[in-house]
DNA sequence: ATCAACCGTTCCGTTTACGGAACGATCGGA
DNA sequence: TCCGATCGTTCCGTAAACGGAACGGTTGAT
């Protein structure tokens, strides 16, 4: 590793960042996979991206710590979004796993002044269901179903949504999620928190 | 610029990649915005991310070309996905810079085997419209409208979608986005890039 | 008015990612 | 069986990103 100084922790202010494993950096294997998928050689890709073979070799084998510029050049030569090289990598600090039946991943938090939005991608395995306790007053949930058939919303007033459909409800009561029929449900979930706690 | 050698073009094989404007690298402003959103100082963020103030200053002002490691450390300290720092950056090889009318933010990339998905949140100001050039063959776009009324899709076969509605189309032709009526359109946009399209 | 604390930038020596040029290995065609 | 072409890795000098320390500017308490 590189700049992992031992940090005697002068810590004037903050309690220092969480350890957060370097993680997220299987960029090398990803690039190599994308390249081989296209059936082109390391030399050829280096040529197309206008980077040195040494650079690309070091990137793929993980023995170097590439610059943004290098990553951009390689992504362009592979004709993929730059972000594809960093892929599932995301591994956010906040990554929240909520319960077992529902596979839910926090995509992004928007802090729009007096309101906070949390955007999730949610997958409910076929036939499974899960309940969730009430949130604070004013919180609402907004679900867009992409695949499967979902029963969701307050436990005493459930809502149904199929592919392409959108439902929303006030989430200050206990609510649930259930996948109906034989297919998994894939959906986007947006939770709106009025007047949230900072951070 | 940095490694923009004049390229006498030995060109054994490929015709070399398109120029591809460095683009995509408004990383600095984005980091600064995220930091100020949280109300923390440059010094404080540098401390939390365990990077030098000089490094962070150079990153935010765009006078340095950060390494992946630096970007990861900063993203972690900001508690956002690494991809969020590269955000609208998505300006891919597809050359799809989406211009001024549509305010579009990359939320997340899913790399599911042979396909890449990009999830965006999109806002089209009331009354405005914008067109976008064709993407690669096989690329499709999927829009879920949350608010407002959107006219979108291929220029010669436009689609309409109101709140909660979902539309999709093949994006390998020129297409557009327009907000109808008096309200802004807020929508989720999912772009699907099928993988292998080697030369 | 003074001063300590902090801000963001700039300077500087060290570390390291960079491209080019080697290297041995592998593969086809003469 | 050569042998030229290309493969991916390694070596090397250069360019630049790095962290630390200084800088001047601003703020708030004494």
């Amino acid at each position: 590793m590189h700049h992992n100084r031992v940090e005697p922790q002068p810590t004037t202010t903050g309690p220092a960042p969480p350890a957060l494993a370097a993680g997220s950096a299987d960029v090398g294997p990803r690039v190599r996979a994308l390249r081989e998928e296209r059936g082109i050689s390391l030399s050829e890709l280096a040529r197309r991206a206008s980077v040195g073979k040494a650079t690309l070799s070091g990137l793929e084998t993980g023995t170097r710590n590439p610059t943004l510029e290098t990553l951009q050049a390689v992504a362009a030569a592979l004709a993929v979004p730059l972000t594809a090289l960093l892929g599932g990598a995301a591994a956010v600090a906040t990554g929240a796993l909520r319960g077992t039946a529902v596979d839910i991943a926090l995509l992004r938090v928007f802090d729009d002044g007096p309101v906070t939005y949390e955007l999730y991608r949610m997958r409910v395995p076929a036939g499974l269901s899960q309940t969730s306790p009430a949130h604070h007053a004013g919180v609402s949930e907004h679900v867009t179903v992409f695949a499967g058939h979902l029963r969701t919303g307050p436990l005493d007033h459930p809502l149904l949504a199929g592919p392409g459909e959108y439902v929303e409800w006030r989430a200050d009561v206990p609510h649930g999620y259930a996948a109906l029929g034989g297919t998994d449900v894939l959906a986007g979930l947006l939770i709106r928190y009025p007047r949230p706690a900072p951070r």
Side-chain angles (χ1 to χ4, degrees), chain A:
Chain A
M1 304 319 164
H2 309 275
H3 62 199
N4 52 353
R5 305 156 303 165
V6 182
E7 279 288 354
Q9 286 296 46
T11 307
T12 333
T13 310
L20 185 97
S24 131
D26 39 345
V27 182
R30 207 180 310 270
V31 168
R32 177 155 294 187
L34 286 169
R35 173 172 66 77
E36 295 180 340
E37 218 168 76
R38 288 161 172 67
I40 66 180
S41 69
L42 186 150
S43 306
E44 173 63 18
L45 179 57
R47 223 169 289 131
R48 295 192 193 179
S50 297
V51 304
K53 297 201 305 182
T55 300
L56 185 52
S57 175
L59 165 58
E60 288 193 359
T61 57
T63 60
R64 284 201 193 173
N65 168 25
T67 62
L68 177 58
E69 193 171 287
T70 297
L71 291 170
Q72 286 177 250
V74 172
L78 287 171
V80 298
L82 168 57
T83 50
L85 301 188
L86 314 166
V92 191
T94 54
L97 264 192
R98 295 236 228 283
T100 53
V102 175
D103 170 28
I104 193 171
L106 177 60
L107 302 177
R108 176 92 189 241
V109 176
F110 298 101
D111 237 323
D112 294 342
V115 203
T116 297
Y117 291 90
E118 291 182 352
L119 182 65
Y120 296 85
R121 174 227 216 186
M122 179 173 58
R123 185 192 303 274
V124 188
L128 291 186
S129 68
Q130 175 164 348
T131 59
S132 174
H135 293 166
H136 292 160
V139 175
S140 59
E141 301 202 0
H142 309 250
V143 171
T144 308
V145 175
F146 289 101
H149 288 265
L150 180 72
R151 184 180 62 222
T152 187
L155 296 182
D156 51 354
H157 291 93
L159 302 160
L160 298 180
E165 293 181 329
Y166 168 85
V167 294
E168 64 177 60
W169 67 92
R170 303 239 313 275
D172 50 3
V173 296
H175 49 284
Y177 313 89
L180 308 178
T183 57
D184 292 359
V185 165
L186 185 60
L189 167 64
L190 187 68
I191 306 186
R192 179 178 184 275
Y193 297 90
R195 196 165 292 283
R199 178 146 353 189

